[in-house]
């Protein structure tokens, strides 16, 4: 599941996926959000291998003829295109969000696929969790002060609902 609850009694550096560190007290609640990976690395290898073999099999009949040279570039482009778009999907899926909650502060750290880091923080007493059905079903945003940020847009609708309920419970517990 792409929502990982982190139970820390020590420092944020105690786990390798930490996006933020703190020097005082540990957060009361922390969760790491990341997109679901439907095709693992071994599945990628099998997909490219089977695609290549499946496209090469019909070439046996035209091996040694001029027809081979007419068909081969298109088959190579098919395999290269599949490779490129699967790798692009992997790169686009490298989004990570870390949501941490203290008694007096709620922080959201987001690192996008290019490595750009965006931080947002607000007092949990004033944070409002907004839910709407555009651009996706159960789209979540956090609003605290003048700025509104999206939360877990890459999660499924059910995962966003679960996250919203848990976050509301934690904020209610702190208040």
């Amino acid at each position: 599941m792409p929502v990982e609850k982190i139970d820390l009694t020590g420092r944020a550096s105690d786990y390798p996926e930490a996006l933020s560190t703190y020097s005082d007290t540990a957060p009361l609640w922390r969760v790491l959000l990341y997109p679901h990976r439907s095709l693992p690395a071994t599945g990628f290898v099998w997909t490219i291998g089977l695609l290549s073999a499946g496209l090469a099999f019909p070439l046996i009949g035209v091996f040694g003829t001029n027809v081979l040279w007419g068909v081969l570039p298109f088959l190579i482009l098919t395999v290269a295109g599949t490779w490129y778009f699967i790798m692009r999907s992997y790169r686009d899926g490298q989004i990570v969000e870390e949501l941490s909650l203290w008694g007096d502060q709620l922080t959201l750290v987001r690192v996008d696929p290019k490595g750009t880091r965006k931080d947002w923080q607000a007092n949990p007493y004033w944070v409002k969790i907004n839910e709407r059905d555009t651009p996706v079903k159960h789209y979540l945003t956090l609003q605290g002060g003048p700025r509104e940020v999206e939360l877990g847009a890459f999660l499924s609708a059910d995962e966003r609902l679960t996250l919203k309920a848990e976050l509301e419970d934690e904020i209610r517990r702190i208040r």
Side-chain angles (χ1 to χ4, degrees):
M1 184 164 169
V3 177
E4 179 182 340
K5 294 177 194 150
I6 300 165
D7 182 23
L8 291 176
T9 55
R11 301 175 56 85
S13 60
D14 291 342
Y15 70 100
E17 296 86 8
L19 299 178
S20 61
T21 58
Y22 52 90
S23 57
D24 297 334
T25 60
L28 302 172
W29 185 73
R30 178 172 275 183
V31 67
L32 193 66
L33 310 171
Y34 49 89
H36 175 72
R37 293 276 186 211
S38 59
L39 183 67
T42 55
F44 170 73
V45 171
W46 276 100
T47 300
I48 294 297
L50 289 174
L51 178 66
S52 299
L55 292 175
F57 184 71
L59 293 180
I60 294 172
V62 294
F63 191 72
T65 66
N66 288 337
V67 175
L68 174 70
W69 299 110
V71 175
L72 190 61
F74 296 104
L75 300 180
I76 291 172
L77 282 173
T78 301
V79 173
T82 304
W83 183 297
Y84 172 77
F85 287 113
I86 290 176
M87 294 309 288
R88 181 175 175 185
S89 173
Y90 279 154
R91 280 193 308 274
D92 291 347
Q94 291 177 337
I95 298 170
V96 179
E97 291 181 358
E98 182 182 74
L99 189 61
S100 303
L101 180 63
W102 286 267
D104 62 344
Q105 185 178 8
L106 175 68
T107 63
L108 177 65
V109 179
R110 177 187 171 105
V111 179
D112 65 15
K114 294 180 182 177
T116 306
R117 179 187 170 117
K118 296 177 184 174
D119 292 7
W120 177 84
Q121 60 185 0
N123 187 323
Y125 185 79
W126 299 108
V127 169
K128 183 178 177 189
I129 304 168
N130 300 316
E131 177 189 347
R132 52 184 174 256
D133 285 335
T134 56
V136 292
K137 190 173 182 181
H138 303 301
Y139 182 73
L140 293 179
T141 60
L142 296 176
Q143 186 174 9
R147 192 169 154 204
E148 186 174 11
V149 294
E150 71 178 7
L151 177 63
F154 46 81
L155 299 175
S156 70
D158 293 336
E159 291 167 341
R160 284 191 295 273
L161 281 178
T162 303
L163 177 64
K164 179 186 178 198
E166 288 180 15
L167 181 57
E168 285 175 338
D169 289 344
E170 291 298 325
I171 289 176
R172 199 174 308 120
R173 188 173 58 90
I174 288 175
R175 289 180 185 165

